[in-house]
Amino acid sequence: MTIFSTLSRLEAENRSFALLQIVESRGSTPRHSACMVVTEGGEVHGTIGGGMLERLAIERARAAVVEGASCLFHGRLARQGENAVGSDCGGAVTVHIAVYPRRPELFLLGAGHVNREVARAALALDFQVTVADTWQANLEHPELPTACRRVSGKDYAAIVPLLGLDEQSYVVIATNHEDREALTRVIGLPVRYLGLLASRRKAHHFRNVLRKELGLAEQEVARLHAPLGLDIHAETPAEIAISILGELVSLYRGHRVTPQVTPTDGEAQAAACQQEIAVTG
């Protein structure tokens, strides 16, 4: 398998990886022009020359993937001195380690008006989108983008284990009468973001459920973003979607945002919830 076919496969599987390429070579070195791939799980494809030079470059690449930042690796084929790798060849190389993080994964629980708009906007921003619902008609709605992965089940107890949520997952809950069940199934999972489409009153009620009925500590309850989204005075499903994606992009880019939702925005989200119920029944 060539490097290019490996890169294509990793991109299709949405896996993080680093592409290592020799960009400078001086003196006696095993390779003067070569590249290799190191995945987030430590798989290695190709070679830049082997030996301790390659081993140390792989270690640096794995760290770079975790950090999510590209970098340069300098190696001298010597036993002592700066950047020495423990070899007697005498040459030196510089390797560019380009990190390609996996696309952010967004999981939408509920496929009603708002989440359909969220899916549309998220796909345009290169999110990988999964939509889940207990009502098959919602998943077959013509306005739900075809690029979305769809997951159905009799209830969210059955659906959530099928999603494959992990510490990099972004989750938005906006169901038809099943928010509580969906929330209680996800709140204990190590997702990066958990948001609930709700008015301020509904959000307050659900936080009390988490505290009193599930016995969660305040630190755990604080993980819930509700009402969710940035304060842009959103009213329509499309506007609410933009406010939600604004918050998600900010988090994805490494900036923590605390939602500042006014009563007007809370009422707008409540109206959107009522619209979901009225239309989807």
Side-chain angles (χ1 to χ4, degrees):
M1 181 176 289
T2 68
I3 287 290
F4 296 107
S5 59
T6 297
L7 294 175
S8 178
R9 175 177 60 84
L10 293 173
E11 183 179 32
E13 295 173 355
N14 198 28
R15 295 171 62 191
S16 299
F17 63 89
L19 175 63
L20 290 71
Q21 185 170 17
I22 296 175
V23 294
E24 185 180 10
S25 175
R26 302 183 303 278
S28 178
T29 62
R31 300 287 297 271
H32 297 281
S33 177
C35 59
M36 65 187 299
V37 175
V38 178
T39 72
E40 59 183 332
E43 300 171 35
V44 177
H45 303 271
T47 178
I48 57 171
M52 282 301 299
L53 171 69
E54 183 170 288
R55 184 180 301 176
L56 293 173
I58 290 172
E59 290 179 2
R60 184 65 190 94
R62 294 190 67 178
V65 171
V66 172
E67 296 162 5
S70 300
C71 62
L72 290 175
F73 171 80
H74 302 282
R76 289 178 53 249
L77 299 172
R79 295 191 179 275
Q80 294 182 338
E82 186 179 10
N83 301 321
V85 300
S87 174
D88 297 318
C89 295
V93 298
T94 297
V95 179
H96 181 235
I97 300 175
V99 173
Y100 295 86
R102 73 187 195 186
R103 295 163 57 199
E105 294 185 84
L106 176 59
F107 296 83
L108 304 175
L109 306 190
H113 286 283
V114 172
N115 271 352
R116 289 199 294 271
E117 293 294 340
V118 172
R120 193 193 313 275
L123 288 169
L125 295 174
D126 206 30
F127 278 75
Q128 182 167 293
V129 180
T130 295
V131 183
D133 206 303
T134 58
W135 193 31
Q136 190 63 34
N138 265 353
L139 295 176
E140 297 172 354
H141 196 285
E143 293 181 5
L144 184 64
T146 57
C148 296
R149 170 195 173 207
R150 292 161 169 78
V151 178
S152 62
K154 65 177 182 178
D155 53 34
Y156 285 95
I159 288 174
V160 170
L162 302 176
L163 299 179
L165 301 176
D166 62 21
E167 65 280 355
Q168 295 298 317
S169 301
Y170 298 79
V171 181
V172 171
I173 298 173
T175 73
N176 182 21
H177 303 298
E178 298 167 290
D179 287 348
R180 175 170 174 162
E181 181 188 0
L183 176 60
T184 57
R185 294 293 175 179
V186 177
I187 190 66
L189 302 179
V191 298
R192 184 172 186 186
Y193 175 92
L194 174 58
L196 172 68
L197 183 70
S199 65
R200 290 169 55 132
R201 178 178 296 180
K202 180 176 177 180
H204 177 73
H205 168 71
F206 272 55
R207 287 191 174 92
N208 281 336
V209 169
L210 297 177
R211 294 185 189 102
K212 298 177 181 179
E213 297 186 21
L214 297 187
L216 298 186
E218 286 302 320
Q219 183 178 3
E220 297 172 292
V221 174
R223 295 176 57 227
L224 177 64
H225 291 247
L228 77 172
L230 301 180
D231 180 9
I232 61 171
H233 303 281
E235 293 188 6
T236 69
E239 291 171 349
I240 293 171
I242 294 302
S243 77
I244 293 171
L245 264 299
E247 184 170 62
L248 297 186
V249 169
S250 183
L251 289 172
Y252 177 66
R253 295 301 180 187
H255 300 280
R256 176 62 59 180
V257 176
T258 300
Q260 299 181 10
V261 181
T262 66
T264 299
D265 294 316
E267 291 165 5
Q269 293 202 52
C273 292
Q274 291 299 323
Q275 185 180 31
E276 295 278 350
I277 293 172
V279 174
T280 63

